[in-house]
Amino acid sequence: MKKPIFKLLHLFVFMMVLLQACKKGELFESNTPKIAEISFAGSTSVPLEFFYDNAVIASTGEQNNSLPVSIKLNISKGDRKVYIREKGKSEILKTYSIDGTNFSNVLRIYYDKGEIYDVGIQYNLRIYTKDKLDLYLDDVLKYQSPFEEPIQDQITIPINKDQKRVLTVKKKGGKEVLLTKTITEADSNRFLKFYLEGNELLENLTIPALKNPKGMSVTFKLLTNVNTIETKFIGGDVDLLAYIRNLNTTDVKKTSPELRFTIPAKPSFVTMELPPISDSEYYTFDFVKKGTNEPSFTSNNLGKKVKLGIGNYGMFFFQNPDPAFFLPGERIICTIMPAEETGGANYDEIFVTPTINEYLTNWINFQ
């Protein structure tokens, strides 16, 4: 009988100690594990390994350096930091802190040239230029345009959360910075758009709202320094004089009131708004000296004379995407050039009329 009583007494003492511990708010098991899930997102071109508390916890795939699947990690011990290094090397490339308040933790990894970033954002290039360009990211060459032609391309910019990176644009082999952009993660899938002619770079252009919502505006720059064959530009301010021509009868009439848009001698973008016309009509144009009805070009050939087209030539032809002479409600950005047309009874007359050279609507940010 003494042994059962002794066992009961021992059990009673043990329970009293346990109850006293509970009253003090102490855990019975002080080393209860705290588990966090670690998952990986991104990509790497080199083999990596991840270690925690001086032990390797995961590594990339052997064949294609694929990131590991998610793992469960006991973070009740250690410093709650995951370290990343290349396999076979000791240098730490990046350190991630584990949020002990959340079960799920995502490590975003983008490896680029010996560094690991949180992400690689896509950045779109829409650049109208006839020069080769170099793009530098934090003063390191990032992109070179292969041809002397407009650029429609996309680059990947490695970046960390809350980081700012600097993108600069120069002509190939040049030192002058043409454009500087500060890039953040928020710029993912945005566009770098500008027009570059010579050393003049245009990124943004203010386009007036249409006075008549059924009209059309054309914002343009006149390029007179081109290799015209039979004529040359006299110089000074130019007026673009508009006429209306019938598509069916070819009859021409003057606009009422007269539509005359001045182009300054120093090339710059100007905007003209054309009122709506019927579907059977289209606008034609002449180049004249400002305030006159005299041609603004002269002939290089003594046997030929420059004359005004008086509305018979000089139309603007749009492809948007279907061919059109007039686009109601649209605001177009373009460059225009002189076009030479020979005619007259004895083919001794030259008509110099404006023609659209390049559409810039998709290359310039406009309001």
Side-chain angles (χ1 to χ4, degrees):
M1 292 296 294
K2 290 183 178 180
K3 287 184 178 181
I5 294 174
F6 178 79
K7 288 182 179 180
L8 288 173
L9 182 61
H10 181 75
L11 179 62
F12 176 78
V13 172
F14 177 78
M15 291 299 294
M16 290 299 293
V17 172
L18 179 62
L19 288 173
Q20 285 296 111
C22 292
K23 287 179 182 179
K24 293 179 181 178
E26 296 176 358
L27 292 174
F28 175 66
E29 174 58 66
S30 60
N31 293 321
T32 301
K34 183 173 181 59
I35 304 299
E37 182 181 63
I38 311 298
S39 56
F40 306 86
S43 63
T44 175
S45 58
V46 300
L48 301 175
E49 59 183 8
F50 308 83
F51 61 101
Y52 179 83
D53 195 28
N54 296 318
V56 175
I57 57 172
S59 61
T60 54
E62 293 295 335
Q63 293 184 343
N64 56 4
N65 300 314
S66 59
L67 293 175
V69 297
S70 60
I71 60 174
K72 301 293 192 301
L73 187 65
N74 181 5
I75 60 172
S76 59
K77 58 179 181 176
D79 58 3
R80 294 191 177 181
K81 295 183 185 295
V82 173
Y83 301 89
I84 305 177
R85 65 188 177 194
E86 285 189 43
K87 284 185 179 179
K89 298 183 179 181
S90 59
E91 179 186 0
I92 303 300
L93 298 178
K94 195 172 182 70
T95 302
Y96 288 92
S97 296
I98 303 303
D99 186 352
T101 62
N102 292 328
F103 171 72
S104 179
N105 290 260
V106 180
L107 307 190
R108 299 194 300 167
I109 298 159
Y110 185 88
Y111 178 89
D112 183 70
K113 297 179 181 178
E115 293 189 45
I116 293 179
Y117 298 85
D118 291 336
V119 70
I121 66 169
Q122 300 305 307
Y123 198 58
N124 301 290
L125 308 178
R126 296 293 184 271
I127 302 169
Y128 185 89
T129 180
K130 293 183 179 178
D131 292 296
K132 289 185 178 181
L133 299 180
D134 291 339
L135 275 65
Y136 292 83
L137 186 62
D138 294 336
D139 296 325
V140 177
L141 184 62
K142 175 67 179 177
Y143 176 90
Q144 288 183 303
S145 56
F147 308 109
E148 294 177 343
E149 60 183 35
I151 301 169
Q152 297 191 66
D153 212 340
Q154 188 180 72
I155 59 175
T156 301
I157 298 180
I159 199 164
N160 291 319
K161 183 181 179 181
D162 300 327
Q163 183 184 15
K164 294 181 180 180
R165 306 205 68 180
V166 178
L167 186 72
T168 53
V169 181
K170 301 178 183 179
K171 287 188 179 180
K172 182 176 175 60
K175 295 183 179 180
E176 180 184 358
V177 175
L178 301 174
L179 183 68
T180 300
K181 283 287 182 183
T182 300
I183 308 295
T184 67
E185 188 180 357
D187 291 307
S188 178
N189 291 316
R190 290 185 179 170
F191 285 80
L192 174 64
K193 300 199 298 185
F194 62 83
Y195 163 74
L196 177 65
E197 183 197 358
N199 291 320
E200 180 186 0
L201 187 147
L202 182 64
E203 185 180 6
N204 302 291
L205 193 58
T206 301
I207 308 296
L210 290 170
K211 297 176 182 177
N212 187 330
K214 294 182 179 180
M216 178 185 75
S217 73
V218 181
T219 299
F220 64 94
K221 182 177 182 180
L222 173 60
L223 304 179
T224 57
N225 57 339
V226 293
N227 295 322
T228 47
I229 298 172
E230 296 193 88
T231 64
K232 63 180 179 182
F233 179 52
I234 295 174
D237 293 347
V238 176
D239 281 346
L240 203 65
L241 189 59
Y243 298 85
I244 297 175
R245 187 173 183 180
N246 191 288
L247 277 166
N248 302 315
T249 66
T250 69
D251 291 339
V252 175
K253 64 181 179 182
K254 291 183 178 181
T255 62
S256 181
E258 181 183 70
L259 290 177
R260 185 183 285 263
F261 304 93
T262 299
I263 307 167
K266 183 179 180 180
S268 62
F269 280 88
V270 295
T271 299
M272 63 178 181
E273 181 171 334
L274 301 170
I277 51 177
S278 71
D279 293 339
S280 62
E281 296 176 322
Y282 65 95
Y283 283 101
T284 62
F285 305 91
D286 264 332
F287 284 127
V288 296
K289 295 178 184 178
K290 181 181 177 181
T292 74
N293 288 324
E294 300 175 14
S296 54
F297 287 77
T298 185
S299 176
N300 292 327
N301 189 331
L302 295 177
K304 294 184 179 181
K305 185 177 182 180
V306 175
K307 296 191 68 174
L308 298 183
I310 314 296
N312 291 294
Y313 309 100
M315 64 183 179
F316 285 161
F317 184 75
F318 301 95
Q319 195 79 25
N320 188 41
D322 298 322
F325 296 106
F326 191 85
L327 298 171
E330 294 289 332
R331 295 181 294 170
I332 303 297
I333 307 175
C334 63
T335 57
I336 63 174
M337 291 173 55
E340 297 175 339
E341 301 186 46
T342 302
N346 299 310
Y347 294 95
D348 59 353
E349 296 173 340
I350 306 172
F351 304 99
V352 181
T353 55
T355 181
I356 290 181
N357 176 48
E358 297 289 351
Y359 290 97
L360 303 177
T361 307
N362 295 324
W363 307 89
I364 298 175
N365 300 306
F366 72 95
Q367 297 136 349

